[in-house]
Structure formats: C-alpha cells, structure tokens
Amino acid sequence: MRWLTELLEGLRISLEALRANKLRAGLATLGIIIGILTVTLMGSAIAGLNTAFLRNISFIGADVFYVEKYDWFSQSREDWRKMSRRRKITLAQARALESQLTLAKAVAPVAETRDSVKYQRRGSESVSVIGTTDEYLRTTSIGVAQGRFLSPAEARGARPVCVLGAEVATNLFPRASALGHRVYVGGNTFEVVGVLERQGTFLGLFSLDNQVILPMGQFTACFWGNPDCLIQVRVRDLGQLNEAREELRAAMRKIRRVAPADEDDFGINQQDQFVVMFHRLGGTIAGIGLFITGLSLFVGGIGIMNIMFVSVAERTREIGIRKAIGAKRRAILSQFLIEASMICLLGGLVGLSLAGAAALAVQNWFPARMPALVVAVALGVALLTGLVSGFLPAWRAARLNPVDALRAGD
C-alpha cells in the first residue's frame, strides 16, 4: 500500500501548489481549454448530425429503390451532362416494370411539380404537388394522421381527390379538420380525403410536410401531360436486396431497349448512397477538427511543460529535502505528473462546461448533443496531455541529486 500513500501525498502536495499559484495555473490551462472545447464541440456536432441524419434519412427506406433519370451522386460535370441527355422515364415504362418484377412488394410511379394550394382566403405557395398511385403508401414510410390515403379505385379512375401534407393542412385549416373540404391546387378543385403524419424536414433543407398528393391521372390531366417519372420500388425481402436490384436493372434495360454493350441510361438509387456520402463528409469534418484540436493541445501542452519546469526550479530545495528524508524517485515523479494532470483536467472541465453550454444554446437551431462517450474522450485527452507534457519536468525533478538540490536552494 506504500504506492497508494505516495500517490495521496503527491495529490496533497499538488493541490497545495496549485492553490498557491492560482493565476499561473489558470493561465496555463487556456490552451487546454481551447483544445478540449474544440474536440467536445466537434464530437457533439458530429453526434447530433449523425442522429438527425439517420432520423431524416429513414423516410427513404433501406429496402426501397428509386429509379430515375439521374444518379443521386455523380463524379464529375461530364457525368451530369451525360445524364441530362438521357431519355425520360415514362408512365408506360413504370407500368411495364410493375408487371415484370417478381421480387418487389410494391411499385409506384411518382411525378412532381410545384404550385399553390388554396382554400377560401388561405393559401400555401410553392407546394410540392405529387402525382402517384395508391401503391405510394406502401413504397414510403409515411403514415396517415387523419382520414385515409388514395384508394385503388380513386387512383385508377383519376378521381379529383387529394391527400394533404401536415404543413399544408395546418396552413389551410388551422382550427378545423381538412377532411371533406374542397381545395384548389393550381386552380383545379380536389376533395381532401386524408392528411399525412408530420415528417419534419429533410436534413434541414426542405419540408417534407409541404406537399399534396393526387392520383396520377389527375396530375397528368391538370399539370404535366407526359411527366419525367421517378419509380419507387420496395423490395419484398431485405435479404434479397442485391438480387432485386439486378432484376430491376435487367427489367429496365429491357423496357428501355438498352443495347447489351451500352451503359444504363437510368439511375437506380438507394439509401446507402446517402449514408456513404454522409460518412465521407463526416470523416473530412472530423479530420479538420482533429487537426485544430491537436494544434491547440500541442500549444497548451508546451505551456504546461514550461510551467512545470518553472515549478520544478522554484521547488528544488523542497525536492532536495524530500529526497534527503527518504522520498523515492517515483514519489517525486508522481507528484509532478499529478500536478500537470490536474492542471489539464481543470482545463478539460472548464472546456466541457463551455461546450455543454454552447450545445444547449444552439439546440433549437442545430442538432448538437453531448453523449457520454464524447465527455469521456475529452477528459481522457486532457489527462493524457497532462501526463505527456508533465513527464520531462517530472523526470528531471525525480533525478535531482539531493545534495545538489539542497545547495541550489541556498
């Protein structure tokens, strides 16, 4: 238990030394505070963004393919130019695809434009007007909060009915139910049969609730006669995702009569493309943050090392007396390592407090959160910085000759 006694004695002496030099210790922690504040804010931002991203991306569906003219992520401008020259995906192709797929649970063509939606004196501008079929409810993860979705008969018969997004319903009917009322979508009258559940925004870029859904027949009659469609395909079994993708690709090539030697003239997109891109961007952000953090901690560590060298020089006589009465090298070494570590932990705690306050302040605008792992890593980094920066001064103090140390104090 001798080592425990030496550790407690070193802790007591370190606390007394810090108490005697409050200003010096406080100034020495500034670099550590900045470094820990940086690493904590970076970790909190990445953790919050990751949570928000996964929550937002869930509406795309891990088992849903999105067949359209463009690939979501291209490598160059030349790729975009090539894709812009592709033929549009038509409704006839969507219907042909539905009849040829065996591994799909549901297939829904989707066409979209933007227009105003009005009811009496109230209105919503730049609303996403979506034309689709009753299968759309099965290819997406949205739910219906009031009423119902489009029925198969309404979709096939192109009835003048619609389903409102939560934001549009709130804007047009703030104190009443929207069900059964007739609204004007781009000047055309539609009866409201349902209201969707609130979905929020997608990555903070646009609202998923600012939409109105119509039967595809009404969409083509009132807004766009021959639209460029997106086809949503939900896979029957998630375990057969790769097989379903290959079946979908082969069917689309056949339907669009793509020659065997030619590249696909359509894109098959899915959720994992967003996930890969997000992690790539997150890695870049983390790398920049770690560089800034490392630079701050390096500067802070140099400051701590200088302060500890000064502390060793000021307490040379004390070290000589302790060694003369029997203190071992490890006791002296641990004393100064503890002192350096406590200075860095103090800076770490201040940095964590500032980061926590900043995270709380911006939560209404930015999805920052401070998980326990981030706190543990920040304190661990602070402790490690103290041990590394304090080792050389502590080693020098531990190797002092007691006679020379006592003579230096005269």
Side-chain angles (χ1 to χ4, degrees):
M1 297 295 289
R2 182 177 178 81
W3 65 270
L4 181 59
T5 303
E6 291 176 352
L7 185 64
L8 293 175
E9 180 68 13
L11 182 61
R12 183 186 64 80
I13 295 173
S14 299
L15 287 172
E16 290 176 355
L18 292 177
R19 195 179 298 115
N21 299 280
K22 298 184 185 69
L23 180 60
R24 187 170 70 185
L27 292 174
T29 62
L30 287 178
I32 306 300
I33 290 172
I34 294 171
I36 296 303
L37 178 63
T38 304
V39 72
T40 307
L41 287 177
M42 180 192 70
S44 300
I46 290 176
L49 282 172
N50 191 52
T51 301
F53 173 78
L54 293 176
R55 184 175 60 247
N56 278 265
I57 206 72
S58 62
F59 90 95
I60 293 179
D63 58 346
V64 180
F65 293 114
Y66 295 80
V67 184
E68 51 190 312
K69 183 176 178 179
Y70 294 92
D71 296 310
W72 283 347
F73 302 103
S74 64
Q75 300 299 319
S76 64
R77 290 184 178 179
E78 181 60 29
D79 291 337
W80 279 109
R81 281 195 289 268
K82 287 181 179 178
M83 288 187 288
S84 67
R85 293 193 291 267
R86 290 174 176 176
R87 296 169 293 162
K88 66 171 59 176
I89 295 176
T90 65
L91 281 174
Q93 292 172 2
R95 297 189 187 101
L97 181 66
E98 185 174 8
S99 65
Q100 294 188 27
L101 296 180
T102 62
L103 299 177
K105 180 189 295 185
V107 178
V110 179
E112 183 177 0
T113 187
R114 289 196 169 271
D115 215 316
S116 62
V117 181
K118 297 180 179 179
Y119 175 74
Q120 295 180 354
R121 296 183 179 180
R122 294 184 176 273
S124 289
E125 300 298 326
S126 192
V127 176
S128 175
V129 181
I130 297 173
T132 187
T133 67
D134 55 293
E135 291 287 279
Y136 183 76
L137 194 64
R138 300 177 64 199
T139 60
T140 61
S141 58
I142 60 175
V144 179
Q146 301 175 34
R148 58 177 175 80
F149 198 69
L150 305 176
S151 69
E154 289 167 339
R156 287 193 300 269
R159 295 285 304 281
V161 296
C162 68
V163 179
L164 301 181
E167 181 180 328
V168 178
T170 301
N171 290 342
L172 300 185
F173 305 94
R175 289 179 295 274
S177 172
L179 301 181
H181 292 283
R182 294 185 177 275
V183 298
Y184 288 92
V185 182
N188 303 283
T189 307
F190 295 89
E191 180 184 350
V192 179
V193 297
V195 176
L196 300 177
E197 292 178 347
R198 188 168 294 277
Q199 302 173 75
T201 62
F202 178 64
L203 301 180
L205 300 176
F206 57 87
S207 173
L208 298 172
D209 300 311
N210 188 36
Q211 61 176 311
V212 58
I213 299 174
L214 315 174
M216 183 60 82
Q218 283 290 329
F219 183 89
T220 56
C222 300
F223 299 96
W224 193 354
N226 186 24
D228 186 0
C229 292
L230 155 71
I231 307 174
Q232 296 182 358
V233 180
R234 182 175 288 276
V235 177
R236 191 180 303 279
D237 183 358
L238 192 58
Q240 295 181 307
L241 198 64
N242 292 331
E243 294 88 341
R245 183 185 179 94
E246 288 306 310
E247 180 190 50
L248 173 59
R249 180 172 176 268
M252 282 299 295
R253 287 180 65 88
K254 179 181 177 182
I255 291 169
R256 290 170 69 84
R257 299 183 180 182
V258 179
D262 293 343
E263 296 180 352
D264 295 343
D265 66 344
F266 55 90
I268 300 179
N269 301 301
Q270 59 189 115
Q271 185 191 86
D272 65 348
Q273 293 171 260
F274 268 105
V275 176
V276 170
M277 181 59 68
F278 174 78
H279 287 312
R280 190 179 301 164
L281 292 174
T284 302
I285 295 170
I288 295 171
L290 286 174
F291 174 76
I292 297 172
T293 299
L295 192 62
S296 300
L297 290 176
F298 176 76
V299 173
I302 295 297
I304 297 294
M305 187 181 295
N306 287 334
I307 291 297
M308 293 308 300
F309 273 124
V310 171
S311 181
V312 169
E314 289 178 347
R315 294 153 66 185
T316 302
R317 183 176 179 82
E318 174 194 324
I319 295 169
I321 294 173
R322 290 195 65 197
K323 297 194 78 170
I325 62 177
K328 296 186 178 296
R329 284 184 176 181
R330 68 168 181 262
I332 304 299
L333 182 71
S334 63
Q335 171 191 334
F336 286 96
L337 283 178
I338 289 171
E339 185 173 333
S341 299
M342 290 184 66
I343 292 174
C344 288
L345 280 176
L346 177 63
L349 290 172
V350 174
L352 279 173
S353 301
L354 293 175
L360 287 174
V362 302
Q363 271 187 345
N364 290 333
W365 303 278
F366 187 81
R369 67 184 188 91
M370 191 183 296
L373 180 61
V374 171
V375 175
V377 168
L379 291 178
V381 168
L383 180 61
L384 181 63
T385 303
L387 292 174
V388 171
S389 59
F391 181 77
L392 283 179
W395 180 254
R396 178 179 177 182
R399 291 181 62 84
L400 283 174
N401 184 284
V403 176
D404 294 336
L406 289 170
R407 187 181 297 128
D410 294 333

